[in-house]
Amino acid sequence: MDYSSWHSTSLDLNINLHRLHEEVPKKHVENNFFSLEMKKPPVKEESADALAEELKRVSAENKKLTEMLTEMCENYNTLRSNLMEYMRKNPDNKELSSSNKKRKSESSNNNNNTTPMAESSSTDEESCKKPKEETIKAKTSRVYVRTEPSDTSLIVKDGYQWRKYGQKVTRDNPSPRAYFKCSFAPSCPVKKKVQRSVDDQSVLVATYEGEHNHPHPSQMEVTTGSSSRSMTLGSLSSSAPTVTLDWTKSKASSESKNANPKMDSPEVPHTLVEQMASSLTKDPNFRAALVAAISGKMLHK
DNA sequence: CGCTTTTGACCAGCGC
DNA sequence: GCGCTGGTCAAAAGCG
């Protein structure tokens, strides 16, 4: 691979992180970008030094990213445990127990797209108020995947194989909802519903019901990242966390609401995080895609 | 030919 | 009881 193209592609996280939130003059950005593009390739001696420098900086940034991700996971774990504790202490919370009707709860979920953290969890909260249904109702979780608005397919790549068995237009959302069963059915009871978000047509909302009782069929599909639109880091086992990373969102997490990276289960082992980060660091394709996405966003501002 | 997708019909739950 | 709605079924069509 020709690493000369990696000149000055740094995210500059250490210095410019806060700058993402500021209004960077468009012209300035463009000029910088084009100047990078037009720049003549440096002579080889300089190139080696610069590359080494670049490599160092990229490594530092990746380390920083890893730390940020780890910290985020820890925060989420803390928040979740606090919530669970609160739910235990207030089992008869009126607000939460107000609706035990199937359809009502469904529609209220749909209307709460702006609170992904609360939705990302399974129906553990519901189980507090509906002990009777707990044993019957399967675990549900929700995953958001950003796609191109022009992409009309309701396909969420999560590594599993699905068989579509129905499609329906629902009342609260003009976009059709697709119904999928795991292709291992009937031995595997997992179902998923995929529908475009009402708020943002470019976001697919996948609702999973139940847990896979078989191993993940294709780990490879996950790591190769066949889709450039988004990457879903699938679970290592049926109950392991699913993390949706949205690389097309250039603005920092403070602005994005329903497309935040999100987890369905809090336990993300640090070693796993490290492994993910290091494998991504080493993958030139990932780096290329990342730079392309970021530079593309800057240009289309 | 076998598997998957499409799509209209059907069913069950809920509100009135 | 009736109508509305979401979810599922299953025959037909499509595809490799």
Side-chain angles (χ1 to χ4, degrees), chain A residues 54-231:
Chain A
E54 187 67 20
L55 192 62
K56 252 190 217 170
R57 204 164 50 218
V58 170
S59 299
E61 286 166 4
N62 278 309
K63 197 178 169 191
K64 191 132 191 130
L65 274 170
T66 306
E67 284 169 7
M68 286 165 67
L69 183 60
T70 307
E71 193 181 347
M72 226 163 66
C73 291
E74 282 172 356
N75 288 342
Y76 177 69
N77 287 345
T78 310
L79 203 63
R80 186 184 161 86
S81 59
N82 286 344
L83 177 66
M84 298 311 282
E85 197 170 339
Y86 175 77
M87 293 301 294
R88 247 201 335 272
K89 286 177 181 172
N90 303 276
D92 52 352
N93 189 317
K94 291 242 170 71
E95 191 187 343
L96 287 167
S97 62
S98 60
S99 166
N100 60 353
K101 286 164 189 170
K102 202 169 137 196
R103 200 165 290 164
K104 281 268 173 83
S105 65
E106 174 74 24
S107 62
S108 66
N109 271 346
N110 284 340
N111 293 337
N112 281 340
N113 279 349
T114 51
T115 55
M117 288 303 272
E119 285 186 349
S120 66
S121 61
S122 61
T123 51
D124 291 351
E125 297 97 297
E126 286 181 8
S127 66
C128 295
K129 62 192 176 193
K130 293 190 290 181
K132 203 176 175 182
E133 284 184 23
E134 184 185 20
T135 52
I136 304 165
K137 197 164 183 178
K139 255 189 175 179
T140 64
S141 61
R142 196 166 290 201
V143 174
Y144 296 85
V145 179
R146 180 166 287 272
T147 66
E148 289 169 31
S150 57
D151 188 357
T152 55
S153 67
L154 290 168
I155 296 169
V156 175
K157 292 184 179 179
D158 52 14
Y160 287 96
Q161 279 190 302
W162 300 94
R163 192 173 60 82
K164 190 177 180 181
Y165 67 92
Q167 181 166 319
K168 199 88 177 177
V169 177
T170 57
R171 210 171 64 90
D172 53 348
N173 191 337
S175 308
R177 176 185 295 171
Y179 299 90
F180 297 90
K181 279 178 183 169
C182 181
S183 60
F184 285 86
S187 64
C188 179
V190 182
K191 292 176 195 170
K192 82 169 174 181
K193 293 178 279 190
V194 180
Q195 189 172 30
R196 296 197 172 277
S197 169
V198 189
D199 301 330
D200 190 347
Q201 293 287 302
S202 63
V203 175
L204 285 176
V205 184
T207 307
Y208 294 84
E209 293 179 17
E211 289 179 276
H212 294 280
N213 54 14
H214 55 88
H216 201 282
S218 57
Q219 287 290 311
M220 288 308 293
E221 201 173 319
V222 169
T223 49
T224 51
S226 53
S227 166
S228 62
R229 299 167 300 186
S230 65
M231 287 174 70

